[in-house]
Amino acid sequence: MERSPNSTELDPERLDRLDYLVAALKKRGIYLTLDLYTIRATRPGELPAYPDRSFRHDEYKGLIYIDDAAMKNWMQFSRNLLEHRNPYTGLSWKKEPAIVFLSLVNEDTLFDLLRKVPFVQKIYEEEFMRYAARKKIQLNNRNRAAEYDRFLTARYLRGYRKMRDFCRRQGVVAPICGQNYCNYNPQAIVRREFDYVDNHFYHGHPSTGGRTPLQFNPASAIPGKLSSLTDAALSRDFRKPFVISEYDFCTPNPCNVEGALLTGAYGAFQGWDAICRFAYEGKPERCRQEVPLAVFTIRHDPLRLLSERAAQLFFLRGDVKRSNDARLILQAETAASYPRLQPLALLNAVGTMAVSCPGFSMPSPMGGVILKEIPRHFISANLSALEAEAAARELAGRKKFLSDTGELSLDAGNGTFSVITPFSEGAVLPGCGVAEGRFARIENLRGFAAFAVASLDNRPLASSRRILLLHLTSSRNSNMIFRGRQEEHLQSWGTLPILVRNGAAKLTLNRNLSKFRCYALDLNGVRVGDIPLTVHKEHTMLSLYTGRFGKVIAACELVSEDLHSQGKHFSREGGTK
């Protein structure tokens, strides 16, 4: 509560709004994830050792694991929230079944966090020296980094166990995890304690959040072999559920429409259990207003909203098959580093396990082979250290990646991606070029674009009577100011109205659709005009333009004659109407 001297007190008005939101989501069958700590700042004097100092969220996250008062402060806030009874559901938060995942502290990975908070890092360094003295460890340049990682691992696990046990004593029923950010080697050890594994990844994340001036990566993720996505994929533990509770391909990256297609497709291929975009919108009042585009939120970005539809079909409907195979990366607990094997996630399902191998002579400080805790039927290949090093060299030079199912193809050299399934097909093309599918041939004629062709009636494309076409370029605010050769520096976010870049493409569909009509849909999903179809034997051709009928046209609907008279239309907010 803002006016309280204690940050652990809950604001009754905000809590009521949150209670109502939980109840409304639950009523509609929507599940929730919950972090017991995100960005709450402490008040001066809350932590007795620092009577005149408040702490930012990043500082506080580090203090929890080394300052008893910070841990007690976390417990008090958590107790207040978990024991609160939601008047709209009749249940306390700790017993709420709609909360399916519980993170104790958001993005609390000490191996990454401490370098950003010098004040807290100094406290850890001082405690580390006392730790080394107690353990009689002679520190030198060769062992210091490894010993410091062991110290941080032990510190974190001691704190995690305290918080986890506290939650269980309170009566929390949801699965619990921590460290839902990054993929440092020691994290494979701490993840063994979690009920599930959670991670976050971003592409094009600006250097300063959303404050201008800011610098960002303006390129597609494809030439970099989806490095952030594949790094997160390697953090999986095959023994536990795996969740991406935050991901985004951020604005103003001009290629950000690719993000949902890539994440939905590879998430389905990997067999992940949940994917959450960050974020729809962060402020309730903005949901009811027309406002310019911002870094993370997609509420006002018509193209990223539409891209979510393709991701849902790939991931939730199950259009994209799970991997037929798996690669388990076995990492020695003492490993200081490991070869970069992230691109394996473009070929097979991947995961990492930290192992100790008593009596096993390892060929190098990294790796080993042990399968006692892993279901053998799920693992078809494992990499020892030497094999991993050889694989890393091969993957670094490789440009083309075809998934073991044959459905996903990524060409890092050309910057292209395609997904081909019986129910949907999609492509990302960086400029003029062609994607050849079984059902659709997509010829992009102008600039970067993402495409999807998807059945809407759960029939295969070859027999579907209703097909969605997506043609997604990029969105920008008016009057945005960039500088740099690649426009990688944003000086001003600009104003309304939101603009959509012109795009053009030709589609050839391998089916006679002479008894179909093609409707252009505006950004509300309303049919605004007919698009001509040219049918030649068993092929149907049409042209796509983002500017048509005086509207932005990013979606079209192919409808069989026996359906088009029913007047249904596609909605970017919620499927079909």
Side-chain angles (χ1 to χ4, degrees):
M1 194 160 65
E2 291 183 359
R3 296 181 180 180
S4 171
N6 195 325
S7 67
T8 61
E9 291 186 30
L10 305 179
D11 185 312
E13 181 181 351
R14 292 183 177 181
L15 184 59
D16 182 70
R17 290 163 63 183
L18 191 57
D19 282 336
Y20 184 81
L21 176 63
V22 170
L25 294 171
K26 182 179 180 180
K27 183 178 180 180
R28 291 160 177 80
I30 300 173
Y31 294 95
L32 300 94
T33 69
L34 175 65
D35 296 286
L36 288 176
Y37 182 83
T38 53
I39 58 173
R40 173 174 60 90
T42 63
R43 311 282 195 268
E46 271 194 269
L47 304 185
Y50 314 98
D52 301 320
R53 201 182 192 286
S54 60
F55 288 95
R56 304 188 313 267
H57 65 278
D58 48 359
E59 296 173 318
Y60 183 90
K61 290 175 186 180
L63 285 173
I64 290 173
Y65 299 101
I66 204 161
D67 185 284
D68 289 342
M71 175 66 75
K72 291 177 181 177
N73 181 277
W74 177 91
M75 289 181 175
Q76 185 58 54
F77 177 88
S78 299
R79 182 183 295 109
N80 292 345
L81 181 62
L82 293 171
E83 293 186 350
H84 167 72
R85 179 181 175 275
N86 185 334
Y88 302 103
T89 65
L91 296 173
S92 63
W93 276 57
K94 63 186 178 184
K95 297 294 186 182
E96 178 52 67
I99 299 174
V100 290
F101 298 117
L102 183 70
S103 166
L104 299 177
V105 180
N106 180 61
E107 296 189 350
D108 60 338
T109 304
L110 295 178
F111 311 102
D112 179 75
L113 175 71
L114 294 179
R115 63 185 176 84
K116 304 173 185 177
V117 284
F119 180 86
V120 181
Q121 185 178 40
K122 182 181 178 182
I123 297 172
Y124 273 84
E125 290 282 356
E126 292 170 352
E127 182 58 32
F128 172 57
M129 297 307 295
R130 290 189 286 270
Y131 162 90
R134 288 195 303 272
K135 297 281 187 179
K136 295 181 170 55
I137 300 171
Q138 296 295 320
L139 297 175
N140 54 55
N141 291 336
R142 296 183 61 186
N143 71 356
R144 195 182 196 285
E147 293 296 343
Y148 190 58
D149 280 349
R150 290 193 187 94
F151 162 71
L152 292 182
T153 299
R155 267 286 166 180
Y156 174 80
L157 284 175
R158 186 179 75 168
Y160 172 81
R161 289 163 183 158
K162 280 185 180 180
M163 293 188 287
R164 177 199 60 198
D165 294 347
F166 166 83
C167 288
R168 293 304 182 208
R169 288 195 302 271
Q170 294 297 308
V172 169
V173 295
I176 293 173
C177 87
Q179 289 208 3
N180 53 9
Y181 179 61
C182 296
N183 190 24
Y184 289 87
N185 281 17
Q187 288 180 264
I189 298 173
V190 302
R191 288 187 186 114
R192 293 187 300 208
E193 302 259 345
F194 301 163
D195 296 328
Y196 69 102
V197 175
D198 181 12
N199 212 335
H200 301 166
F201 73 87
Y202 289 85
H203 179 73
H205 195 300
S207 58
T208 59
R211 301 183 304 277
T212 54
L214 60 82
Q215 184 175 2
F216 66 98
N217 179 0
S220 162
I222 295 171
K225 305 174 187 177
L226 313 189
S227 58
S228 57
L229 184 154
T230 55
D231 191 57
L234 274 181
S235 66
R236 182 181 183 183
D237 184 325
F238 283 128
R239 299 164 295 181
K240 304 172 187 291
F242 183 77
V243 174
I244 297 293
S245 66
E246 285 186 28
Y247 95 92
D248 196 23
F249 284 56
C250 305
T251 299
N253 180 291
C255 308
N256 58 18
V257 293
E258 71 183 3
L261 277 71
L262 294 166
T263 304
Y266 281 106
F269 170 69
Q270 288 292 325
W272 296 347
D273 295 283
I275 302 173
C276 302
R277 165 87 81 163
F278 185 86
Y280 180 73
E281 180 51 75
K283 298 180 179 180
E285 60 273 15
R286 286 172 58 97
C287 290
R288 299 183 291 272
Q289 302 169 350
E290 290 300 322
V291 297
L293 301 177
V295 172
F296 303 114
T297 55
I298 66 171
R299 163 67 181 86
H300 301 284
D301 188 335
L303 301 191
R304 285 203 290 169
L305 282 172
L306 284 170
S307 72
E308 288 287 307
R309 301 299 177 262
Q312 289 165 16
L313 295 172
F314 297 158
F315 185 78
L316 292 179
R317 191 168 74 175
D319 289 10
V320 173
K321 294 178 184 176
R322 292 181 64 157
S323 170
N324 297 320
D325 216 342
R327 296 294 184 266
L328 172 64
I329 312 304
L330 298 168
Q331 174 189 303
E333 289 183 354
T334 55
S337 61
Y338 204 78
R340 291 192 61 80
L341 297 167
Q342 286 81 348
L344 273 178
L346 306 176
L347 302 170
N348 308 100
V350 295
T352 302
M353 186 171 74
V355 296
S356 57
C357 305
F360 181 83
S361 178
M362 287 189 256
S364 83
M366 303 174 292
V369 179
I370 182 170
L371 288 176
K372 291 180 181 179
E373 299 178 76
I374 301 294
R376 283 184 178 272
H377 71 273
F378 194 64
I379 303 300
S380 65
N382 312 287
L383 296 174
S384 69
L386 293 179
E387 292 168 329
E389 291 162 0
R393 289 193 296 270
E394 192 273 332
L395 291 167
R398 182 188 287 216
K399 297 296 184 183
K400 295 183 179 181
F401 297 84
L402 180 65
S403 66
D404 63 46
T405 59
E407 291 186 337
L408 308 182
S409 177
L410 184 142
D411 188 329
N414 293 332
T416 60
F417 165 76
S418 67
V419 51
I420 302 172
T421 83
F423 294 89
S424 56
E425 296 185 2
V428 176
L429 296 168
C432 296
V434 174
E436 295 275 5
R438 282 192 297 267
F439 180 77
R441 180 182 189 272
I442 302 168
E443 182 181 0
N444 187 27
L445 302 175
R446 188 186 300 158
F448 181 94
F451 301 86
V453 180
S455 164
L456 289 179
D457 57 6
N458 294 323
R459 299 182 182 189
L461 287 167
S463 60
S464 175
R465 298 190 303 165
R466 197 151 175 262
I467 297 171
L468 172 67
L469 310 176
L470 296 180
H471 176 203
L472 310 175
T473 56
S474 63
S475 305
R476 278 189 177 179
N477 300 322
S478 298
N479 304 311
M480 294 180 83
I481 299 175
F482 296 88
R483 64 179 179 85
R485 294 184 62 184
Q486 297 180 304
E487 295 190 336
E488 69 274 22
H489 297 273
L490 178 67
Q491 300 298 110
S492 172
W493 275 105
T495 60
L496 292 173
I498 295 169
L499 309 175
V500 172
R501 182 174 55 75
N502 279 328
K506 291 182 179 179
L507 263 62
T508 301
L509 307 178
N510 296 324
R511 182 178 166 191
N512 186 315
L513 299 176
S514 58
K515 294 185 178 181
F516 278 66
R517 288 178 66 178
C518 185
Y519 295 101
L521 307 177
D522 70 11
L523 295 178
N524 291 311
V526 176
R527 296 170 178 171
V528 295
D530 285 87
I531 295 177
L533 300 176
T534 301
V535 180
H536 180 69
K537 295 183 179 180
E538 296 305 312
H539 302 283
T540 301
M541 289 152 283
L542 66 151
S543 296
L544 301 178
Y545 301 99
T546 51
R548 218 167 193 168
F549 307 108
K551 303 280 187 179
V552 172
I553 305 298
C556 301
E557 182 184 23
L558 280 163
V559 187
S560 177
E561 285 183 351
D562 59 349
L563 292 178
H564 73 75
S565 61
Q566 298 177 16
K568 293 184 178 181
H569 65 272
F570 183 81
S571 167
R572 68 184 175 101
E573 291 293 341
T576 58
K577 294 183 179 179

